[in-house]
Amino acid sequence: MKKFVRLLPALLLLFISSYAQKKTTQPNIIFILSDDHAYQAISAYGSKLMQTPNIDRIARGGALFRNALVGNSICGPSRATLLTGKYSHLNGYTLNEKKFDISQELFPRILQQHNYQTAWIGKWHLGSLPQGFDYWNILPGQGQYYNPDFIKIGGDTSRSSGYVTSLITEFSINWLQQRDTSKPFFMVVGEKATHREWLPDLQDLGAYDNVDFPLPANFKDDYKGRIAAQNQDMTIANTMRLKEDLKVHADYEKNGIYNRFNPEQKKVFMDYYEAKVSKEFDAKKLSGDTLVKWKYQRYIKDYLATARSLDRNIGRLLDYLDQSGLSKNTVVIYASDQGFYLGEHGWFDKRFIYEESLRTPFMIRYPGVVQPGTSIPQLMVNIDWAPAILDMAGVPAPAEMQGTSFLPLLKGDTTNWRKAAYYHYYEFPQPHHVYPHFGIRTEKYTLVRFYDQTNTWELYDLQKDPQEMFNLYGQAAYKQLTATLKQQLRQLIQEYKDGEALKIMDQQ
């Protein structure tokens, strides 16, 4: 006993040292979450449209997920899933413009309880003010590209002068400089870019005007055999607006987004869109296919120019991490809230279970853990994001989270990893008349059930038909496969406790 008493101070010191080491080795974590940024516009994914050297830095320094998926391809619900690790039907945020229940379990609040400082800066878009964060400075709703308002922690709203992507970067770096350096931190950098109506920074206007982008191979999709695709309202040909989206003779007096410009900004902007874009449009006297092709070119050029600022500012943030020494113990994640159509099927926007909106860019740099240049082909879903971040912090995920930490994948362990992912989209009929649907995505196939004013199934072989042009549902050769996929889909519905989908399945 006396010997134990003599050893007690040493044991206590060892415990304190071990605890302190655990605290100091908890990594800092930065999650950069953009809006509507398509993987097709990222050179790390092989984009032929543009180069994204700074986003690529994250992929080169860590891991690139090639099949990162979302459970509901729309802005607010994706953010709700990030915060909760749960599908939309359980976190209650199934569609935009609702009020998110902020009182439920959120992983940043759990991080706070385990020594982390937490912050969210930029786009939030959940109807409620943030909780679970020591600091926040967010855009109201969708936010504005130029001279945007920000709501600071405490509820004060003020206008900031400048371009939104640069401002979000500036505010993020300022918080990093002023934080409590005795604690690890978790910060979300919530980007507005590349959301509609795609207003580029002044310095990026016309950045791609000398490029004639080829139309996607299925741009003139006739939607044969696909009822939901026939009835959507998200085509570049018919839905995209010349004045509002493409700035052809934009209403600079009545449209509120232009009233935010200062005189110098407005002059540069108008000189480009009136003297060049609108003048070109008037001179060409476009109609029919030539008009649609012109609209596509203007859409892509504005979209990519908006993404150019996003990439540049991510570079600013990465440079700060390097210069401050923070990069040595900081996990950096880049993702979008979902994918986006850049003319595939003749579309813009997202929503469908089809690949361009289902798949989202996702890459992670984790010094000392992830081998640079790692490529991960396994299916990962955004319900996995919260459990993984907690896992990196050494904190167990609560049982109510439906996702699984992907940290083992980063270390090369694929044991018992999912072979199929679940999806459920709800928002209908506005704004784009995409029928609600749920489905299953495996490594080779997608099976989807559309409902609400339609009652149709679709089946795609992703290896033979990666552009998802040929609906195989009902073909005799795929009868057994369809039955197997339906059974797997039912199992996922039951596992994830989606009562609405189960009722629809029972009605077939």
Side-chain angles (χ1 to χ4, degrees):
M1 184 64 181
K2 290 181 179 179
K3 185 177 180 181
F4 176 77
V5 171
R6 287 197 303 269
L7 289 173
L8 191 59
L11 291 171
L12 183 61
L13 183 62
L14 182 64
F15 172 77
I16 293 172
S17 175
S18 175
Y19 179 70
Q21 185 177 13
K22 179 182 178 182
K23 287 175 64 177
T24 56
T25 56
Q26 284 180 304
N28 306 310
I29 303 169
I30 295 177
F31 196 115
I32 306 169
L33 183 64
S34 60
D35 196 299
D36 294 346
H37 193 200
Y39 63 85
Q40 309 95 287
I42 297 175
S43 44
Y45 283 97
S47 175
K48 297 179 181 179
L49 297 173
M50 71 178 296
Q51 293 296 307
T52 50
N54 294 296
I55 294 174
D56 292 359
R57 284 166 63 182
I58 303 172
R60 283 197 310 271
L64 182 75
F65 282 78
R66 298 198 173 276
N67 282 289
L69 313 177
V70 295
N72 181 4
S73 184
I74 189 171
C75 305
S78 186
R79 286 165 177 76
T81 292
L82 162 64
L83 288 167
T84 63
K86 296 185 290 190
Y87 276 101
S88 300
H89 60 275
L90 285 192
N91 67 42
Y93 205 81
T94 54
L95 46 96
N96 279 334
E97 312 310 331
K98 294 181 68 176
K99 190 172 183 180
F100 178 60
D101 177 9
I102 205 73
S103 67
Q104 61 188 300
E105 189 78 277
L106 310 177
F107 82 87
R109 192 180 288 130
I110 299 173
L111 288 177
Q112 282 183 316
Q113 297 163 2
H114 289 81
N115 195 45
Y116 271 80
Q117 292 176 90
T118 57
W120 188 301
I121 298 168
K123 183 170 179 178
W124 169 256
H125 194 216
L126 285 168
S128 308
L129 293 178
Q131 289 184 19
F133 297 92
D134 299 296
Y135 176 81
W136 46 267
N137 190 10
I138 62 170
L139 297 167
Q142 293 282 4
Q144 300 289 343
Y145 275 108
Y146 281 88
N147 305 325
D149 294 334
F150 281 85
I151 308 173
K152 295 181 175 63
I153 188 167
D156 294 334
T157 301
S158 60
R159 185 166 296 189
S160 295
S161 179
Y163 187 71
V164 66
T165 312
S166 299
L167 289 169
I168 289 169
T169 306
E170 177 185 329
F171 297 157
S172 298
I173 293 174
N174 287 346
W175 182 80
L176 290 173
Q177 292 172 330
Q178 297 168 16
R179 76 192 193 283
D180 180 355
T181 56
S182 69
K183 294 182 177 183
F185 64 83
F186 169 77
M187 177 175 70
V188 174
V189 181
E191 302 285 6
K192 174 177 173 60
T194 48
H195 197 277
R196 191 181 185 187
E197 280 87 7
W198 315 293
L199 271 62
D201 194 349
L202 296 180
Q203 63 186 294
D204 298 311
L205 293 175
Y208 298 94
D209 281 359
N210 293 328
V211 183
D212 186 27
F213 293 101
L215 294 173
N218 60 353
F219 183 79
K220 294 184 178 181
D221 191 350
D222 61 5
Y223 315 122
K224 182 179 179 181
R226 291 157 285 153
I227 293 175
Q230 293 170 15
N231 287 281
Q232 47 65 40
D233 181 23
M234 47 189 271
T235 63
I236 292 170
N238 299 319
T239 311
M240 187 167 281
R241 303 165 300 184
L242 284 168
K243 180 178 289 188
E244 291 84 358
D245 291 318
L246 304 180
K247 301 93 175 170
V248 175
H249 298 306
D251 193 336
Y252 291 98
E253 300 304 320
K254 294 182 180 179
N255 191 327
I257 63 176
Y258 303 116
N259 292 335
R260 309 186 72 87
F261 282 80
N262 64 38
E264 293 78 15
Q265 291 168 335
K266 182 175 280 191
K267 183 180 187 308
V268 175
F269 201 86
M270 289 182 65
D271 281 350
Y272 176 71
Y273 282 103
E274 284 300 302
K276 186 180 189 307
V277 175
S278 298
K279 184 178 180 180
E280 175 188 301
F281 175 80
D282 292 342
K284 288 181 178 291
K285 301 186 184 305
L286 302 164
S287 63
D289 283 349
T290 55
L291 172 59
V292 175
K293 291 177 181 177
W294 188 89
K295 289 174 71 174
Y296 167 76
Q297 294 295 330
R298 285 308 327 159
Y299 161 49
I300 290 298
K301 289 170 184 179
D302 278 352
Y303 180 97
L304 298 179
T306 305
R308 195 167 186 253
S309 174
L310 176 65
D311 183 73
R312 180 172 60 249
N313 276 279
I314 288 171
R316 284 178 58 198
L317 181 58
L318 295 177
D319 288 345
Y320 172 78
L321 296 179
D322 289 341
Q323 294 159 7
S324 64
L326 283 171
S327 58
K328 297 176 182 177
N329 190 39
T330 299
V331 176
V332 180
I333 298 170
Y334 179 74
S336 178
D337 51 7
Q338 72 274 310
F340 209 71
Y341 294 99
L342 299 183
E344 298 86 5
H345 302 284
W347 295 338
F348 67 100
D349 209 70
K350 53 266 184 179
R351 303 171 193 275
F352 280 103
I353 194 175
Y354 309 139
E355 287 295 286
E356 290 82 6
S357 58
L358 175 67
R359 285 172 54 197
T360 191
F362 193 97
M363 57 197 72
I364 177 170
R365 191 175 74 182
Y366 193 168
V369 174
V370 181
Q371 186 73 22
T374 298
S375 178
I376 298 179
Q378 282 77 20
L379 303 177
M380 187 265 282
V381 188
N382 58 348
I383 56 170
D384 301 328
W385 296 357
I389 292 170
L390 290 174
D391 197 5
M392 293 171 205
V395 179
E400 67 187 70
M401 286 190 174
Q402 296 181 299
T404 303
S405 170
F406 56 75
L407 190 55
L409 290 182
L410 299 178
K411 299 176 180 180
D413 182 4
T414 61
T415 307
N416 298 323
W417 192 255
R418 69 164 56 84
K419 300 296 183 183
Y422 181 61
Y423 181 87
H424 195 161
Y425 169 81
Y426 302 84
E427 192 169 87
F428 178 79
Q430 298 299 329
H432 287 289
H433 205 272
V434 173
Y435 291 121
H437 56 285
F438 55 86
I440 181 174
R441 159 73 148 80
T442 71
E443 295 169 339
K444 296 181 179 180
Y445 303 100
T446 293
L447 177 72
V448 53
R449 166 69 181 272
F450 291 92
Y451 64 95
D452 197 347
Q453 298 187 23
T454 186
N455 179 16
T456 58
W457 286 90
E458 294 179 3
L459 171 66
Y460 298 98
D461 184 329
L462 299 176
Q463 292 186 330
K464 296 179 180 178
D465 178 27
Q467 295 179 336
E468 294 164 297
M469 298 288 287
F470 305 104
N471 179 13
L472 303 172
Y473 187 83
Q475 293 188 17
Y478 290 90
K479 183 177 181 180
Q480 184 57 52
L481 172 66
T482 300
T484 300
L485 289 172
K486 282 187 177 181
Q487 182 58 35
Q488 291 178 330
L489 175 58
R490 179 179 289 274
Q491 290 171 354
L492 289 178
I493 289 171
Q494 292 171 337
E495 176 185 347
Y496 294 123
K497 302 174 183 178
D498 191 348
E500 179 182 10
L502 188 59
K503 288 181 182 177
I504 294 170
M505 286 287 287
D506 289 340
Q507 293 169 0
Q508 61 176 312

